[in-house]
Amino acid sequence: MATETEVGQLLHRRGWRTAFTVTERVNAWASLVSVIERGYGDDIYEYTNDLYCRNWLHEAWLLLDEHIVQLWTPRIKALDAQYMAATVHDDGQALDQFHRLPGPDLWWWRRHPRILTGDLGRSLRSAGAIGADPDTA
């Protein structure tokens, strides 16, 4: 198992744009979840790009020292629960119209925001997604 710095560097060598830290990616996930809860108004391509912060955490968890995993897992599980509450499971049918879905173990790709607003909402509705209007959510 590796340290946080080593994992960040390894994942960067594997194609991630920078050597992220766990703190950076957890904060990015927290920020994304918060925006989704209020209504994500950016476009589908920004949304799918933003989801990758959770992918990084998934990849890092397989490589990190156990004590780092134990330290951060409660926070990530709490954010995952918030994300699940703010999203609708559709097995990825709506997102798959715009972005090739990764493997089934990356469950966050098989959900879409419950509140469909802005460009993202229009795109997802055009792909058959059903969600709440922000004015009635």
Side-chain angles (χ1 to χ4, degrees):
M1 296 312 230
T3 67
E4 185 175 341
T5 301
E6 292 167 341
V7 168
Q9 292 169 348
L10 174 63
L11 292 177
H12 178 50
R13 287 193 301 275
R14 289 184 180 175
W16 289 91
R17 67 179 159 86
T18 191
F20 293 112
T21 66
V22 173
T23 300
E24 288 171 330
R25 298 293 79 194
V26 168
N27 288 343
W29 184 228
S31 177
L32 177 59
V33 168
S34 177
V35 170
I36 290 170
E37 288 174 327
R38 293 187 312 270
Y40 189 103
D42 216 334
D43 67 31
I44 187 79
Y45 305 105
E46 282 300 313
Y47 180 73
T48 57
N49 184 60
D50 289 347
L51 280 179
Y52 277 95
C53 66
R54 187 61 179 83
N55 287 42
W56 188 95
L57 290 167
H58 179 78
E59 288 184 39
W61 249 231
L62 304 173
L63 304 168
L64 284 165
D65 288 333
E66 185 63 29
H67 74 278
I68 297 170
V69 169
Q70 289 177 1
L71 177 71
W72 284 101
T73 293
R75 175 72 174 131
I76 293 169
K77 282 187 175 185
L79 290 168
D80 287 351
Q82 282 180 255
Y83 177 79
M84 290 181 83
T87 58
V88 175
H89 181 268
D90 74 345
D91 203 28
Q93 291 179 10
L95 282 179
D96 193 38
Q97 303 296 312
F98 304 96
H99 185 25
R100 187 178 64 81
L101 294 180
D105 55 329
L106 304 183
W107 56 266
W108 49 95
W109 285 93
R110 283 158 176 71
R111 305 184 69 82
H112 65 75
R114 186 173 303 284
I115 298 173
L116 296 176
T117 187
D119 288 341
L120 177 65
R122 282 187 289 282
S123 294
L124 291 175
R125 275 195 173 92
S126 77
I130 298 171
D133 185 293
D135 296 328
T136 61

